[in-house]
Amino acid sequence: MAEDSTLADLVVRAQKGDQDAWGRLVERYAPFVWAICNRYRLNLQDRDDVAQMVWLRTVEKLGSLQQPEAFAGWLATVTQRECLHASRAVRRRESNEHALDLEREMGDESVMIGQELERCERRAALRAAFAQLPPHCRQLLLLLAQEQQLSYREIAERLCLSIGGIGPTRGRCLARLRRSPHLKGFLGPAAGSAGGGGDV
């Protein structure tokens, strides 16, 4: 399936039993679920249990979601409920008199969820935009972004480019990436027309 599937499309397909769409939803939102769980200071085993329960509840209830585009907020609510349930169980189990008042922190939690959701959506949009670049752009940008930095000479040899062509090609590839409709909501209005000129 193409990388540019919208969230609503993925949800609708998952509701109809499409395993590929379900897998993409889990891959896209698993970091989001973990980020919420981390805020509740659960140990690793409890976080694993909560995450499994969240996805189980999601499978059970996904068919009742009337607005597929509201999936992220709905998933955040499911995750928060499961985290609160697990936190209360931990407090009862440990009889900890100094446990945090998690209910009081819900205001801060909603801010964090919004920020984490934005990061998650931005990463998904960038992956979709990157997947639409021509292969030579993807190869060049991946080589330039490697943790162990390669010299321009090494990159030129690997991609059969001239050393002097790497910088301009990189500029055109990045400009093309910025023009992607996937990044429209994440970049300023000038970004779509920013530098780099013609097609790569």
Side-chain angles (χ1 to χ4, degrees):
M1 178 193 143
E3 285 287 344
D4 61 349
S5 291
T6 64
L7 172 59
D9 178 54
L10 286 176
V11 172
V12 168
R13 290 177 53 223
Q15 287 174 323
K16 293 177 180 175
D18 185 323
Q19 290 302 307
D20 181 56
W22 171 252
R24 288 174 183 270
L25 282 174
V26 173
E27 179 184 352
R28 184 171 174 174
Y29 287 100
F32 180 55
V33 169
W34 271 90
I36 295 173
C37 290
N38 286 339
R39 295 281 295 177
Y40 286 82
R41 299 185 180 126
L42 300 170
N43 66 35
L44 184 59
Q45 182 178 344
D46 289 330
R47 284 196 306 256
D48 280 342
D49 291 346
V50 167
Q52 287 180 7
M53 189 56 68
V54 165
W55 293 116
L56 178 62
R57 296 275 184 253
T58 303
V59 169
E60 291 172 347
K61 304 289 186 184
L62 188 61
S64 65
L65 181 62
Q66 299 295 315
Q67 298 175 314
E69 64 279 1
F71 175 78
W74 177 79
L75 182 64
T77 301
V78 171
T79 305
Q80 283 181 296
R81 286 180 182 156
E82 291 302 325
C83 286
L84 282 171
H85 177 74
S87 294
R88 289 179 183 134
V90 167
R91 282 189 295 187
R92 284 193 300 272
R93 189 172 65 224
E94 296 176 352
S95 301
N96 185 353
E97 295 176 1
H98 302 292
L100 292 172
D101 181 6
L102 294 169
E103 307 287 354
R104 183 174 51 80
E105 292 185 357
M106 290 302 287
D108 293 341
E109 184 69 18
S110 64
V111 172
M112 184 283 304
I113 287 172
Q115 292 169 343
E116 190 58 38
L117 176 59
E118 185 179 340
R119 278 192 290 272
C120 183
E121 292 295 337
R122 192 172 32 224
R123 284 191 299 265
L126 184 58
R127 281 194 304 269
F130 187 80
Q132 289 187 330
L133 289 174
H136 71 277
C137 278
R138 292 197 305 265
Q139 291 169 348
L140 175 60
L141 294 177
L142 285 172
L143 287 174
L144 288 167
Q146 280 188 356
E147 193 171 324
Q148 186 171 358
Q149 198 169 16
L150 298 174
S151 70
Y152 268 30
R153 179 181 300 276
E154 292 171 305
I155 292 172
E157 288 173 3
R158 288 189 189 192
L159 299 181
C160 299
L161 286 173
S162 67
I163 292 175
I166 292 176
T169 303
R170 182 189 76 179
R172 289 191 296 271
C173 291
L174 289 174
R176 186 169 185 155
L177 185 68
R178 287 186 201 102
R179 289 193 304 268
S180 169
H182 294 288
L183 299 179
K184 188 176 180 181
F186 298 99
L187 299 174
S193 59
D199 287 336
V200 183

